[in-house]
Amino acid sequence: MSVQAMRTRPEWLTSARVLRTEVLAGLVVALALIPEAISFSILAGVDPKIGLFASFTMAVTIAFTGGRPAMISAATGAIALVVAPLAKEHGLGYLVAAVLLGGAFQIVLALVGVAKLMRFIPRSVMVGFVNALAILIFTAQLPHLIGVPWLVYPLVVVALVIMVFLPKLTAVVPAPLVTIVLLTTFTVAVQVSVPTVGDEGALPDSLPVPGLPDIPFTVDTLTAIAPYAVGIALVGLMESLMTAKLVDDITDTRSDKTRESWGQGVANIVTGLFGGMGGCAMIGQTMINVKASGARTRLSTFLAGLFLLILVVVLGDVVAVIPMAALVAVMVIVSVGTFDWHSVAPATLRRMPAGEIIVMVVTVAATLITHNLAVGVVLGVLAAMVIFARRVAHFVEVTGELDDDGSRVYRVRGELFFASSNDLVYQFDYAGDPDRVVIDMSAAHIWDASSVAALDAITTKYRSRGKHAEITGLNDASASFHENLAGKLGGSH
């Protein structure tokens, strides 16, 4: 076999060690996915099989279409929170339709370069997004702790203790899996009556069958699902691209963010066709796969989905007797681990600029009020833009001095755009200045039409008094911008 052929073959085909690592990693992730997929299904208000099928189709599809090898995509809490109101109000058919449309939106966004726009989302918005997600996941567990048998509470406490302390002893088996096995064994053995997964809905006993949702394809339907589809697309891409960047840092490799974006869209469309609830990259499961298990290829992602389907279809009767207390505890741990506690530490808040804190609070508050992560992110970005514009607007400085030839020279320093150029007109002494005025722009940059209009207004005011104002020192980009628009915007008299 040629050297070139060897290079193009996947690493797991040429190394038994890599193959073993990938297979074991896929199995561990599949086991860890089962409780979370069921929990996220309940979070979304649908049968457990909807989340389980979604996790299977997302993982298997993204293994082929994704741009970040070894990253795990499945049903997630973020997507569950987005679609939960739609499922509650209109039913599963509308949810599946929103997933299909959301996948299409993701492909379109990928083609127009949304991956490159991710760098414009400030860190404070990212932190707010993560914190809001954690709070929503936590509050979604409260209904399962109200009006339930008293035994649920000690079971939840025991589950939390196991998941907190077991990882300190061993990381061989995922703590959530151990918790679920132990609590299920106990409740079955002593035959206690507590809410179980089976009470939440029927588990699958066969493979998923593709098809379109049974809903009317009308404008009213489109109006109902479109906002949720946009939410699925934006939240899914944001979580996936954030997770891909994290894996890039851990593995010291670069991923194809554009491919990951349209790959997520394809995976959601496939998931929708199989009646799943949609999904995106999972930070927690990806860390299990990449960091704890050492996986690095697409095989682990594919096997995680395949093993999940086999386990669920074959062991469905066992899954049905899992106590809800165990899953509630799993989701509480997920929410606590998701929340960025450092961001709200008093020491951090004291050092953080007020604007950054405001953006984070706006993102969290908007998300909690609307129960829509996409709305929170959009409002957070808008808040960040306004605060940034206000901050930069104060960085423009105008100083004036008389030159040896009797003219007055004004030196403008800073970035000129709509927020900073509005006050520029008032920085000049039109009545008191000599007949010749020089406006030196060597230390300034023109960014928009508002700045050109402001300069037009300044030269017009001097001209109306019989004086000549000359603009000098423009850099090439500013000079080109000014030349194209100067005197052509109107309203500068």
Side-chain angles (χ1 to χ4, degrees):
M1 184 179 292
S2 68
V3 175
Q4 183 63 33
M6 289 286 288
R7 284 176 180 168
T8 57
R9 294 183 72 186
E11 194 178 356
W12 51 267
L13 276 179
T14 59
S15 167
R17 180 186 58 80
V18 172
L19 178 61
R20 183 175 66 253
T21 299
E22 298 296 314
V23 171
L24 290 176
L27 180 59
V28 170
V29 170
L31 291 169
L33 270 175
I34 292 175
E36 290 200 2
I38 295 170
S39 299
F40 293 142
S41 301
I42 294 162
L43 187 60
V46 296
D47 285 352
K49 66 181 178 182
I50 305 301
L52 291 165
F53 282 163
S55 295
F56 158 66
T57 52
M58 286 295 299
V60 169
T61 306
I62 207 69
F64 294 97
T65 63
R68 174 64 263 177
M71 190 164 77
I72 303 297
S73 290
T76 61
I79 299 299
L81 289 167
V82 171
V83 300
L86 181 63
K88 184 177 181 181
E89 188 174 345
H90 294 286
L92 179 61
Y94 280 75
L95 184 157
V96 171
V99 171
L100 290 167
L101 185 58
F105 283 160
Q106 286 178 324
I107 293 173
V108 172
L109 289 170
L111 295 177
V112 300
V114 71
K116 295 175 183 175
L117 294 177
M118 284 297 294
R119 65 178 182 268
F120 293 109
I121 296 180
R123 181 187 176 279
S124 49
V125 174
M126 294 284 198
V127 172
F129 169 85
V130 168
N131 289 349
L133 172 61
I135 294 169
L136 288 176
I137 290 175
F138 179 81
T139 55
Q141 307 314 308
L142 298 180
H144 299 292
L145 297 171
I146 299 172
V148 293
W150 69 269
L151 193 57
V152 168
Y153 303 112
L155 286 175
V156 170
V157 171
V158 169
L160 291 173
V161 169
I162 293 171
M163 283 187 285
V164 168
F165 291 103
L166 182 62
K168 300 179 188 299
L169 301 175
T170 178
V172 175
V173 185
L177 185 66
V178 173
T179 303
I180 288 164
V181 170
L182 290 178
L183 263 65
T184 303
T185 303
F186 171 77
T187 54
V188 171
V190 302
Q191 296 184 334
V192 294
S193 179
V194 291
T196 63
V197 169
D199 298 332
E200 300 294 327
L203 288 169
D205 55 7
S206 61
L207 298 176
V209 179
L212 291 173
D214 184 18
I215 59 170
F217 292 93
T218 62
V219 175
D220 289 341
T221 300
L222 181 62
T223 304
I225 68 173
Y228 297 97
V230 171
I232 290 168
L234 294 179
V235 170
L237 286 180
M238 186 172 304
E239 282 236 326
S240 299
L241 294 176
M242 282 169 58
T243 307
K245 186 177 184 306
L246 190 61
V247 178
D248 289 353
D249 293 341
I250 291 171
T251 61
D252 291 325
T253 57
R254 290 188 66 182
S255 57
D256 187 338
K257 304 296 192 301
T258 299
R259 176 175 173 177
E260 184 61 41
S261 299
W262 65 254
Q264 289 288 331
V266 172
N268 270 310
I269 289 174
V270 171
T271 297
L273 290 173
F274 280 94
M277 59 179 271
C280 61
M282 299 184 76
I283 295 176
Q285 303 303 334
T286 298
M287 290 303 100
I288 291 174
N289 197 45
V290 174
K291 213 168 184 180
S293 304
R296 292 292 183 272
T297 76
R298 298 176 185 274
L299 181 65
S300 58
T301 306
F302 173 80
L303 290 177
L306 186 62
F307 287 151
L308 172 67
L309 183 68
I310 294 170
L311 287 168
V312 168
V313 171
V314 174
L315 303 175
D317 292 340
V318 176
V319 174
V321 297
I322 295 173
M324 282 301 300
L327 299 186
V328 168
V330 169
M331 297 313 297
V332 169
I333 292 294
V334 168
S335 68
V336 171
T338 300
F339 195 90
D340 186 347
W341 295 100
H342 178 71
S343 68
V344 295
T348 304
L349 295 175
R350 280 195 299 270
R351 288 193 300 266
M352 192 77 70
E356 301 287 314
I357 297 172
I358 290 170
V359 170
M360 183 174 70
V361 170
V362 166
T363 305
V364 173
T367 302
L368 296 181
I369 291 169
T370 63
H371 282 253
N372 191 321
L373 289 158
V375 172
V377 169
V378 170
L379 291 180
V381 170
L382 289 175
M385 289 170 59
V386 171
I387 290 169
F388 176 76
R390 282 177 59 85
R391 190 181 301 160
V392 175
H394 298 303
F395 289 161
V396 173
E397 180 185 6
V398 180
T399 57
E401 61 184 18
L402 282 174
D403 204 0
D404 294 338
D405 61 3
S407 64
R408 179 173 285 278
V409 178
Y410 286 97
R411 290 184 172 82
V412 182
R413 295 179 180 83
E415 307 297 319
L416 293 178
F417 66 110
F418 62 89
S420 60
S421 61
N422 285 334
D423 293 332
L424 190 64
V425 180
Y426 307 109
Q427 306 296 316
F428 298 84
D429 184 6
Y430 303 104
D433 280 343
D435 290 344
R436 184 171 182 273
V437 174
V438 176
I439 302 172
D440 184 358
M441 303 282 289
S442 301
H445 187 95
I446 295 174
W447 286 104
D448 62 6
S450 297
S451 305
V452 177
L455 292 173
D456 279 353
I458 292 166
T459 54
T460 301
K461 284 180 181 294
Y462 278 116
R463 194 182 308 118
S464 68
R465 289 170 171 77
K467 301 175 182 181
H468 175 68
E470 180 185 0
I471 297 172
T472 65
L474 289 170
N475 59 42
D476 291 343
S478 297
S480 176
F481 205 87
H482 185 260
E483 184 181 348
N484 289 334
L485 295 177
K488 300 169 186 174
L489 295 172
S492 57
H493 48 276

